Amino acid sequence: MINLTHTITETQITIQKQKSEGKTIGFVPTMGALHEGHITLIRRAAAENDFVVVSIFVNPIQFNNPEDLAKYPRTLDEDMEKLAGTGCTLVFAPSADEMYPEPDLTEFDFGQLDKVMEGKFRPGHFKGVAIVVKKLFEIVTPHKAYFGEKDFQQLAIIKKMVSMLQMPVEIVPCPIIREADGLAMSSRNARLSADERTEAPLLFKALSGIKENYSWFIPDGTKQLVTGEIQESKYFRVEYVSVVDIETLQPFEDWQDVEHAVVCVAAFIGSVRLIDNIVLY
Ligand code: PAF
């Protein structure tokens, strides 16, 4: 039986009871509209912890686009059904008033980490993510928290926040889960039309192609090639393609400049914004 709580107090009481019995707490924060990507994180959390908490909260303060917030799917009943048999033991699904009885004015300084890519194109987004994840960590007090690598920059920001605030939680990065045709799983995929859905795997095709061939080009040339390949489709509008250091997320000039590099992309297909990435080396 999965326990469903809507208040912070009830959630804390439930979790503290488990902790007092010596149980370890695994946590998977989500905004709901669960798909196989989330389920994989939850199963991993269940394999590595005694008690697994999933939060379902569409966090209004991380949306820089009101239309995106309004259209974000809210499917709690279906989500609860999908969670059956995954090992999830508690779902925390608060209201916005429960999470933010007053505006949360916390400020973070992530240096250059949130000035590029998503941070540049979605002003305020990472501040909203950091505020909610900090708050959720304080409520759930997990031993381990699980995040997908599709949101590569989000993962870097959360790791940085945990380190800056010395929070006693281990962040566990989990590989991107893809559909059979390569499209990275995302709650936003449900909003694609049939034609857009057929075209969407091009994003991963462009990324996996460049993983094979990047050493023939300089980093900037790689960026141009991936952008060009995606733009060839009339369905896509590329927002950015960035070739960056895996740690700092900053661009660089030569492959020898960094130990590990990742290509990150954000592109609109119709009105749906998709992101994806691939680690080159
Ligand atoms: O990745 C998400 O779904 C959200 O950004 C998160 C981490 C649940 C915070 O709202």
Side-chain angles (χ1 to χ4, degrees):
M1 240 295 271
I2 302 173
N3 199 349
L4 173 62
T5 57
H6 298 286
T7 68
I8 293 174
T9 311
E10 202 187 347
T11 308
Q12 285 172 325
I13 292 170
T14 312
I15 293 169
Q16 283 318 316
K17 183 171 176 298
Q18 300 298 323
K19 282 191 145 180
S20 70
E21 291 169 9
K23 305 256 175 75
T24 56
I25 311 296
F27 180 38
V28 183
T30 80
M31 297 205 298
L34 301 180
H35 50 69
E36 205 43 45
H38 297 112
I39 302 300
T40 308
L41 302 186
I42 296 162
R43 288 193 193 282
R44 173 140 180 215
E48 297 179 0
N49 301 273
D50 301 317
F51 193 81
V52 174
V53 183
V54 173
S55 63
I56 296 184
F57 177 57
V58 181
N59 176 32
I61 65 167
Q62 74 183 71
F63 285 81
N64 57 316
N65 176 348
E67 193 191 333
D68 197 22
L69 172 61
K71 287 196 176 153
Y72 207 88
R74 289 159 176 85
T75 53
L76 184 59
D77 291 343
E78 288 162 39
D79 289 343
M80 290 302 289
E81 279 170 27
K82 287 184 191 155
L83 286 168
T86 60
C88 166
T89 23
L90 172 67
V91 173
F92 173 45
S95 66
D97 285 346
E98 180 70 9
M99 289 297 277
Y100 304 117
E102 295 189 30
D104 190 321
L105 303 175
T106 312
E107 293 287 343
F108 299 91
D109 182 359
F110 294 116
Q112 291 305 306
L113 214 50
D114 63 347
K115 306 293 181 291
V116 294
M117 303 194 293
E118 294 298 285
K120 186 166 159 196
F121 285 93
R122 303 181 67 190
H125 169 65
F126 285 124
K127 183 178 170 188
V129 169
I131 287 176
V132 81
V133 172
K134 173 175 178 283
K135 200 156 186 156
L136 288 167
F137 281 177
E138 285 164 354
I139 296 165
V140 176
T141 62
H143 295 89
K144 293 185 179 189
Y146 297 77
F147 292 87
E149 286 174 336
K150 181 169 79 71
D151 295 291
F152 202 84
Q153 193 173 10
Q154 166 171 286
L155 186 56
I157 298 270
I158 290 167
K159 281 195 216 153
K160 179 83 176 164
M161 179 190 76
V162 163
S163 152
M164 286 191 314
L165 302 177
Q166 298 180 298
M167 297 185 108
V169 50
E170 182 190 335
I171 303 301
V172 184
C174 302
I176 300 176
I177 303 296
R178 299 185 179 279
E179 302 286 356
D181 59 11
L183 177 65
M185 290 199 186
S186 164
S187 306
R188 290 189 169 86
N189 294 352
R191 284 171 45 203
L192 297 170
S193 70
D195 285 351
E196 289 165 353
R197 176 63 191 83
T198 308
E199 200 72 3
L202 175 62
L203 221 51
F204 180 60
K205 193 169 157 272
L207 289 175
S208 33
I210 208 66
K211 187 175 165 89
E212 302 300 312
N213 299 319
Y214 73 90
S215 58
W216 292 80
F217 311 95
I218 59 169
D220 196 54
T222 299
K223 182 177 143 173
Q224 307 305 338
L225 268 171
V226 174
T227 308
E229 187 171 346
I230 301 168
Q231 292 282 50
E232 261 175 38
S233 158
K234 67 176 175 116
Y235 287 88
F236 274 105
R237 181 168 63 79
V238 172
E239 199 164 64
Y240 65 79
V241 173
S242 297
V243 181
V244 295
D245 179 323
I246 213 170
E247 295 293 332
T248 65
L249 304 188
Q250 303 307 304
F252 55 91
E253 288 192 356
D254 288 309
W255 299 117
Q256 309 90 277
D257 294 348
V258 303
E259 206 175 327
H260 298 287
V262 58
V263 186
C264 297
V265 49
F268 279 96
I269 179 161
S271 65
V272 183
R273 188 175 182 278
L274 300 179
I275 60 171
D276 203 347
N277 66 74
I278 200 158
V279 174
L280 295 181
Y281 59 95

